[in-house]
Amino acid sequence: MVSLDERLLVKKIQEGDQQAWNELVLRYEGRLTNYAQGKIKDHSTCQDLVQESFLGFLSKITNFDASRSIQSYLFGILSNKIADFLRSLGKSKIVENPVDSSGNHKGNPFIDPAMGASTWYRGDEKKKLENDALTKCLVLLINDFIKKKDYLKLKTIELLFVNGLSNKEAATILGINNKVVASHRFFATNFIIENLKKLNLSHEVFPEFYEQDTET
Amino acid sequence: MNITRQILDAFIDDHLNEQETIKVEKALRESPELQAQLTDIIKSRDMGDHSIGAIWRREHLSCPSREELLSYQDEALDLDRLDYIKFHLETVGCRACKANLSDLKNANPLPEDPALRKKHQQFLENSKILLPKKN
Ligand SMILES: [Zn+2]
């Protein structure tokens, strides 16, 4: 949940309040710098990338949706800036010179400053609805685990969905049986589908639910 | 390691550990099909990806709050929660939470290096022209 305090900060900046802007920079600068320093040794470069991320945020501030987390947004921009920077050093893992569907070389695979930033800003209402619906269902799911202190399920689902591991890999890490992992996956998928249904959204848009994991 | 769509997603988001990252890099170098798949994913993300993993990572859905991370540092949480946060930091490898934690350990919010501190001040000064005009 985005705090009232954060919403107020965004609102004030949207109204041109410089003190609110200074406050925001001060509040997020440390964590962003630490994030950058996890990947890049040179502190001055890290600071440049963090400052560019802040500028990216500020340049679009009038359209920023205050119900979104500032932190997640800033981390998103920064992580792309870092990827771009590393790529420019030739260290990056993103394939060089990716080509688009018509065979043209794309100079920069990350057109938008934040991954999926379009879900924050652009007028694609359908995408935004889908994104918001799925976010809502996932928050319900995670809160359900936490409320019941069912951390084993949360850990399992996080390894599957966030780290993209297979049932078998997750089972090995957690020291549990593959079948238990499969049942947790089944539970989570069902939970999300049921809650999506309540929101009256088509599940065709989320094909990953129907991918069968063969490694049970 | 079978490189699935989810693994490529995690790879792009920097959410794999070093060993896994190396494996994916190697596979990418060897397989044009996989490279094409990666390019497709990046393209679809530019259009606003909403796969479960992407949303979860992008919105930091399971990340503990800053207050909780503080309590984690002081071990002032119940054991289950402490254990989960440790897992989230170390096994899932959440870089955002790691960054928050190191930031919390640092009492001074401003950069220590005088040169960086000066750059910070200059930035605040220069960036204000981008602020929306007050009505
Ligand atoms: Zn986290």
Side-chain angles (χ1 to χ4, degrees):
Chain A
M1 240 10 246
V2 174
S3 70
L4 186 65
D5 173 51
E6 255 192 28
R7 284 174 194 246
L8 209 70
L9 202 57
V10 169
K11 195 172 163 278
K12 280 187 178 166
I13 299 168
Q14 284 170 335
E15 289 164 357
D17 185 327
Q18 200 195 334
Q19 216 171 335
W21 172 241
N22 292 358
E23 154 79 24
L24 181 130
V25 172
L26 207 59
R27 194 184 289 191
Y28 292 96
E29 192 174 29
R31 62 192 90 169
L32 291 171
T33 307
N34 271 293
Y35 187 83
Q37 286 171 355
K39 281 268 160 181
I40 298 165
K41 277 211 168 66
D42 180 55
H43 287 195
S44 183
T45 303
C46 290
Q47 197 183 27
D48 288 341
L49 297 178
V50 169
Q51 292 186 345
E52 281 172 28
S53 306
F54 278 126
L55 289 182
F57 173 75
L58 185 59
S59 65
K60 287 182 168 183
I61 188 74
T62 41
N63 295 321
F64 187 78
D65 174 357
S67 67
R68 300 277 171 188
S69 150
I70 301 174
Q71 169 173 294
S72 294
Y73 183 68
L74 287 171
F75 274 135
I77 304 182
L78 179 60
S79 119
N80 287 346
K81 300 250 175 235
I82 294 171
D84 276 349
F85 176 78
L86 293 176
R87 222 162 40 91
S88 73
L89 292 180
K91 274 185 195 167
S92 172
K93 47 204 192 177
I94 305 299
V95 268
E96 294 301 321
N97 300 321
V99 283
D100 66 19
S101 52
S102 41
N104 298 319
H105 283 273
K106 270 171 84 177
N108 176 0
F110 303 115
I111 290 169
D112 219 304
M115 256 180 244
S118 36
T119 57
W120 269 273
Y121 291 120
R122 78 165 176 191
D124 189 339
E125 277 307 305
K126 185 172 167 279
K127 275 250 153 70
K128 190 175 182 313
L129 277 178
E130 288 163 5
N131 187 83
D132 289 353
L134 198 45
T135 306
K136 232 177 249 174
C137 296
L138 284 169
V139 168
L140 282 174
L141 177 74
I142 293 165
N143 286 345
D144 184 67
F145 290 149
I146 294 175
K147 209 171 82 200
K148 293 180 183 150
K149 294 202 172 221
D150 202 343
Y151 285 110
L152 181 61
K153 265 198 194 131
L154 178 56
K155 286 177 180 176
T156 313
I157 298 308
E158 202 159 350
L159 288 178
L160 298 177
F161 290 174
V162 177
N163 295 63
L165 300 187
S166 68
N167 287 6
K168 203 173 149 200
E169 287 162 329
T172 309
I173 288 176
L174 295 166
I176 56 177
N177 191 296
N178 284 359
K179 287 210 169 76
V180 177
V181 173
S183 77
H184 291 173
R185 186 196 283 271
F186 183 76
F187 173 87
T189 307
N190 255 2
F191 185 102
I192 295 169
I193 291 173
E194 286 310 310
N195 280 285
L196 280 178
K197 273 188 202 155
K198 284 184 202 159
L199 296 169
N200 290 323
L201 271 143
S202 150
H203 19 119
E204 280 162 32
V205 286
F206 305 119
E208 62 198 292
F209 289 139
Y210 305 99
E211 274 175 20
Q212 292 300 314
D213 194 300
T214 46
E215 297 166 87
T216 47
Chain B
M1 176 161 144
N2 177 29
I3 314 258
T4 59
R5 158 77 205 240
Q6 283 98 324
I7 291 193
L8 286 177
D9 273 322
F11 173 74
I12 298 168
D13 287 341
D14 233 337
H15 236 297
L16 294 177
N17 65 35
E18 206 142 319
Q19 261 184 327
E20 289 163 346
T21 305
I22 292 169
K23 277 186 204 160
V24 175
E25 283 177 6
K26 185 166 178 288
L28 275 169
R29 269 197 300 274
E30 289 163 1
S31 160
E33 291 83 26
L34 207 59
Q35 284 177 22
Q37 205 189 339
L38 186 74
T39 308
D40 278 349
I41 294 174
I42 292 171
K43 245 191 295 177
S44 85
R45 283 175 173 236
D46 286 338
M47 296 163 69
D49 185 16
H50 55 248
S51 71
I52 295 189
I55 290 178
W56 191 319
R57 285 186 294 268
R58 188 167 68 215
E59 309 271 353
H60 300 105
L61 293 181
S62 52
C63 292
S65 65
R66 291 263 289 186
E67 292 71 33
E68 246 194 327
L69 284 172
L70 254 181
S71 308
Y72 171 78
Q73 220 181 331
D74 302 335
E75 297 190 21
L77 291 167
D78 69 46
L79 285 179
D80 290 341
R81 191 66 188 157
L82 280 177
D83 173 67
Y84 169 72
I85 295 177
K86 186 168 190 271
F87 171 87
H88 179 79
L89 286 162
E90 292 171 13
T91 310
V92 175
C94 180
R95 289 186 55 223
C97 284
K98 283 184 194 167
N100 263 304
L101 204 56
S102 349
D103 180 44
L104 285 167
K105 284 180 184 153
N106 191 352
N108 190 347
L110 286 169
E112 269 167 43
D113 180 341
L116 296 186
R117 198 179 275 238
K118 193 170 167 214
K119 235 168 93 185
H120 163 90
Q121 287 306 339
Q122 275 170 348
F123 173 72
L124 287 181
E125 203 40 46
N126 298 340
S127 62
K128 70 181 182 200
I129 53 158
L130 278 175
L131 277 169
K133 295 278 163 288
K134 272 192 175 174
N135 292 326

